[in-house]
Amino acid sequence: MNINKFDEAYYTRYYGDRKTRVAEPIYFNNLARYLGAYTRFLGLKVQSIVDLGCGVGTLKLPLLGRFPKATYTGVDISQYACAKFGWECAAVSEYCSPEKFDLVVCHDVIQYLNDKEAKAAIKNFDSLCQGILYFSVLTEEDYVENCDQSRTDSAVNLRTVDWYRPKLQRYFRNLGGGVYLSRDCEIAIYALEHLD
Ligand SMILES: C[S@@+](CC[C@H](N)C(=O)[O-])C[C@H]1O[C@@H](n2cnc3c(N)ncnc32)[C@H](O)[C@@H]1O
């Protein structure tokens, strides 16, 4: 992957220009509302958030709106985005922190990584997370069946759902809706409310 592709033109196309952008701001607001509601329902106090591959920071203000007392750390590999928005510049598979986070977010990033990096990134989610992971990725199935291909970057590594599931399952319990609970987090989840 040529990381220089994540430049101003990339972000304008996929996040700025209304005619080509991949999602509207309301989508990110609704996602943050959902995460706020679900973590509260679980009784998980979110005091720290890391957003891995945060791009232009679509989720920063929506998340801080829902978790006003939490710290937000944005991490990205794009030199352009880090310089412009002040994120920590690192690869999602390598970013490390002395303290674990209550909420780890990785939205629409891992399809840019090769298999080895993607596997390392999922392992790194475990190193960084002491509560909930919100994970969303474009899979092979989504590219064919679910996404708007005219607005979606196809120069990515499409992997199947079956590729991702066991790797996530090793470290997290799948609560559905992209929410994963760290296996180290001692919150009781009723049997029918998790998928593995
Ligand atoms: C499709 S954008 C998603 C941005 C943001 N997560 C969102 O949903 O609005 C992909 C982002 O992943 C970043 N990225 C790609 N490979 C990365 C890597 N190995 N480590 C960290 N960030 C990466 C890119 O720089 C880009 O900002």
Side-chain angles (χ1 to χ4, degrees), residues 171-189:
Y171 309 109
F172 297 94
R173 297 165 89 187
N174 186 346
L175 304 191
V179 172
Y180 295 81
L181 180 68
S182 165
R183 290 195 181 274
D184 297 332
C185 186
E186 290 175 3
I187 289 179
I189 306 288

mmCIF file of all heavy atoms in Angstrom, residues 171-189:
data_model
loop_
_atom_site.group_PDB
_atom_site.id
_atom_site.type_symbol
_atom_site.label_atom_id
_atom_site.label_comp_id
_atom_site.label_asym_id
_atom_site.label_seq_id
_atom_site.Cartn_x
_atom_site.Cartn_y
_atom_site.Cartn_z
ATOM 1 N N TYR A 171 -9.803 -12.813 20.581
ATOM 2 C CA TYR A 171 -9.604 -11.794 21.614
ATOM 3 C C TYR A 171 -10.902 -11.155 22.123
ATOM 4 O O TYR A 171 -10.893 -10.509 23.169
ATOM 5 C CB TYR A 171 -8.726 -10.662 21.079
ATOM 6 C CG TYR A 171 -7.438 -11.125 20.444
ATOM 7 C CD1 TYR A 171 -7.238 -11.057 19.072
ATOM 8 C CD2 TYR A 171 -6.415 -11.641 21.246
ATOM 9 C CE1 TYR A 171 -6.049 -11.477 18.499
ATOM 10 C CE2 TYR A 171 -5.223 -12.068 20.682
ATOM 11 C CZ TYR A 171 -5.047 -11.982 19.304
ATOM 12 O OH TYR A 171 -3.873 -12.402 18.741
ATOM 13 N N PHE A 172 -11.962 -11.258 21.316
ATOM 14 C CA PHE A 172 -13.190 -10.498 21.615
ATOM 15 C C PHE A 172 -14.437 -11.367 21.495
ATOM 16 O O PHE A 172 -14.473 -12.307 20.705
ATOM 17 C CB PHE A 172 -13.345 -9.323 20.620
ATOM 18 C CG PHE A 172 -12.243 -8.315 20.695
ATOM 19 C CD1 PHE A 172 -11.137 -8.407 19.860
ATOM 20 C CD2 PHE A 172 -12.294 -7.276 21.615
ATOM 21 C CE1 PHE A 172 -10.101 -7.483 19.926
ATOM 22 C CE2 PHE A 172 -11.266 -6.349 21.696
ATOM 23 C CZ PHE A 172 -10.170 -6.439 20.852
ATOM 24 N N ARG A 173 -15.466 -10.972 22.252
ATOM 25 C CA ARG A 173 -16.789 -11.564 22.072
ATOM 26 C C ARG A 173 -17.586 -10.633 21.162
ATOM 27 O O ARG A 173 -17.644 -9.420 21.400
ATOM 28 C CB ARG A 173 -17.489 -11.696 23.412
ATOM 29 C CG ARG A 173 -16.739 -12.624 24.331
ATOM 30 C CD ARG A 173 -17.225 -12.476 25.739
ATOM 31 N NE ARG A 173 -18.319 -13.371 25.987
ATOM 32 C CZ ARG A 173 -19.033 -13.359 27.122
ATOM 33 N NH1 ARG A 173 -18.776 -12.461 28.063
ATOM 34 N NH2 ARG A 173 -19.987 -14.204 27.316
ATOM 35 N N ASN A 174 -18.204 -11.233 20.172
ATOM 36 C CA ASN A 174 -18.938 -10.449 19.175
ATOM 37 C C ASN A 174 -20.345 -10.164 19.701
ATOM 38 O O ASN A 174 -21.170 -11.068 19.830
ATOM 39 C CB ASN A 174 -18.998 -11.270 17.870
ATOM 40 C CG ASN A 174 -19.620 -10.492 16.727
ATOM 41 O OD1 ASN A 174 -20.241 -9.452 16.945
ATOM 42 N ND2 ASN A 174 -19.462 -10.993 15.513
ATOM 43 N N LEU A 175 -20.605 -8.876 20.005
ATOM 44 C CA LEU A 175 -21.926 -8.505 20.530
ATOM 45 C C LEU A 175 -22.884 -8.081 19.420
ATOM 46 O O LEU A 175 -24.010 -7.668 19.690
ATOM 47 C CB LEU A 175 -21.796 -7.368 21.561
ATOM 48 C CG LEU A 175 -20.863 -7.613 22.745
ATOM 49 C CD1 LEU A 175 -21.054 -6.528 23.790
ATOM 50 C CD2 LEU A 175 -21.078 -8.980 23.365
ATOM 51 N N GLY A 176 -22.421 -8.143 18.167
ATOM 52 C CA GLY A 176 -23.274 -7.735 17.043
ATOM 53 C C GLY A 176 -23.134 -6.245 16.760
ATOM 54 O O GLY A 176 -22.613 -5.477 17.577
ATOM 55 N N GLY A 177 -23.559 -5.842 15.572
ATOM 56 C CA GLY A 177 -23.548 -4.422 15.210
ATOM 57 C C GLY A 177 -22.171 -3.791 15.196
ATOM 58 O O GLY A 177 -22.036 -2.577 15.347
ATOM 59 N N GLY A 178 -21.119 -4.624 15.026
ATOM 60 C CA GLY A 178 -19.757 -4.082 14.970
ATOM 61 C C GLY A 178 -19.128 -3.873 16.344
ATOM 62 O O GLY A 178 -18.005 -3.382 16.443
ATOM 63 N N VAL A 179 -19.874 -4.230 17.397
ATOM 64 C CA VAL A 179 -19.359 -4.046 18.762
ATOM 65 C C VAL A 179 -18.781 -5.362 19.275
ATOM 66 O O VAL A 179 -19.432 -6.406 19.213
ATOM 67 C CB VAL A 179 -20.483 -3.547 19.704
ATOM 68 C CG1 VAL A 179 -20.010 -3.545 21.151
ATOM 69 C CG2 VAL A 179 -20.918 -2.148 19.298
ATOM 70 N N TYR A 180 -17.552 -5.280 19.776
ATOM 71 C CA TYR A 180 -16.841 -6.455 20.295
ATOM 72 C C TYR A 180 -16.386 -6.135 21.717
ATOM 73 O O TYR A 180 -15.876 -5.039 21.980
ATOM 74 C CB TYR A 180 -15.611 -6.761 19.424
ATOM 75 C CG TYR A 180 -15.978 -7.162 18.015
ATOM 76 C CD1 TYR A 180 -16.289 -6.181 17.063
ATOM 77 C CD2 TYR A 180 -16.051 -8.497 17.631
ATOM 78 C CE1 TYR A 180 -16.655 -6.540 15.770
ATOM 79 C CE2 TYR A 180 -16.406 -8.856 16.340
ATOM 80 C CZ TYR A 180 -16.703 -7.871 15.419
ATOM 81 O OH TYR A 180 -17.072 -8.227 14.148
ATOM 82 N N LEU A 181 -16.551 -7.115 22.590
ATOM 83 C CA LEU A 181 -16.167 -6.932 23.992
ATOM 84 C C LEU A 181 -14.869 -7.686 24.256
ATOM 85 O O LEU A 181 -14.771 -8.891 23.950
ATOM 86 C CB LEU A 181 -17.281 -7.477 24.896
ATOM 87 C CG LEU A 181 -17.061 -7.373 26.397
ATOM 88 C CD1 LEU A 181 -17.095 -5.915 26.861
ATOM 89 C CD2 LEU A 181 -18.128 -8.186 27.142
ATOM 90 N N SER A 182 -13.899 -6.990 24.827
ATOM 91 C CA SER A 182 -12.635 -7.642 25.169
ATOM 92 C C SER A 182 -12.897 -8.853 26.061
ATOM 93 O O SER A 182 -13.687 -8.772 27.005
ATOM 94 C CB SER A 182 -11.733 -6.642 25.907
ATOM 95 O OG SER A 182 -10.691 -7.345 26.539
ATOM 96 N N ARG A 183 -12.228 -9.938 25.789
ATOM 97 C CA ARG A 183 -12.418 -11.137 26.622
ATOM 98 C C ARG A 183 -11.868 -10.914 28.030
ATOM 99 O O ARG A 183 -12.168 -11.669 28.937
ATOM 100 C CB ARG A 183 -11.780 -12.364 25.961
ATOM 101 C CG ARG A 183 -12.544 -12.814 24.715
ATOM 102 C CD ARG A 183 -12.195 -14.198 24.232
ATOM 103 N NE ARG A 183 -12.955 -14.508 23.027
ATOM 104 C CZ ARG A 183 -14.181 -15.021 23.003
ATOM 105 N NH1 ARG A 183 -14.797 -15.311 24.126
ATOM 106 N NH2 ARG A 183 -14.789 -15.258 21.854
ATOM 107 N N ASP A 184 -11.059 -9.861 28.209
ATOM 108 C CA ASP A 184 -10.541 -9.548 29.552
ATOM 109 C C ASP A 184 -11.512 -8.679 30.353
ATOM 110 O O ASP A 184 -11.268 -8.391 31.521
ATOM 111 C CB ASP A 184 -9.206 -8.795 29.456
ATOM 112 C CG ASP A 184 -8.144 -9.654 28.793
ATOM 113 O OD1 ASP A 184 -8.241 -10.888 28.910
ATOM 114 O OD2 ASP A 184 -7.238 -9.081 28.158
ATOM 115 N N CYS A 185 -12.573 -8.219 29.701
ATOM 116 C CA CYS A 185 -13.498 -7.293 30.370
ATOM 117 C C CYS A 185 -14.605 -8.092 31.043
ATOM 118 O O CYS A 185 -15.307 -8.864 30.390
ATOM 119 C CB CYS A 185 -14.082 -6.336 29.330
ATOM 120 S SG CYS A 185 -15.093 -5.048 30.031
ATOM 121 N N GLU A 186 -14.734 -7.880 32.352
ATOM 122 C CA GLU A 186 -15.653 -8.745 33.099
ATOM 123 C C GLU A 186 -17.055 -8.159 33.186
ATOM 124 O O GLU A 186 -17.530 -7.800 34.265
ATOM 125 C CB GLU A 186 -15.078 -9.011 34.491
ATOM 126 C CG GLU A 186 -13.865 -9.917 34.402
ATOM 127 C CD GLU A 186 -13.189 -10.119 35.739
ATOM 128 O OE1 GLU A 186 -13.699 -9.596 36.736
ATOM 129 O OE2 GLU A 186 -12.146 -10.782 35.750
ATOM 130 N N ILE A 187 -17.696 -8.055 32.052
ATOM 131 C CA ILE A 187 -19.097 -7.632 32.039
ATOM 132 C C ILE A 187 -19.910 -8.873 31.670
ATOM 133 O O ILE A 187 -19.568 -9.582 30.725
ATOM 134 C CB ILE A 187 -19.321 -6.514 30.993
ATOM 135 C CG1 ILE A 187 -18.663 -5.221 31.465
ATOM 136 C CG2 ILE A 187 -20.797 -6.296 30.717
ATOM 137 C CD1 ILE A 187 -18.799 -4.064 30.511
ATOM 138 N N ALA A 188 -20.961 -9.110 32.430
ATOM 139 C CA ALA A 188 -21.788 -10.291 32.135
ATOM 140 C C ALA A 188 -22.692 -9.986 30.945
ATOM 141 O O ALA A 188 -23.390 -8.964 30.926
ATOM 142 C CB ALA A 188 -22.621 -10.642 33.349
ATOM 143 N N ILE A 189 -22.643 -10.852 29.955
ATOM 144 C CA ILE A 189 -23.504 -10.696 28.771
ATOM 145 C C ILE A 189 -24.396 -11.934 28.699
ATOM 146 O O ILE A 189 -23.885 -13.062 28.697
ATOM 147 C CB ILE A 189 -22.663 -10.629 27.466
ATOM 148 C CG1 ILE A 189 -21.590 -9.535 27.554
ATOM 149 C CG2 ILE A 189 -23.569 -10.423 26.253
ATOM 150 C CD1 ILE A 189 -22.087 -8.133 27.484
#
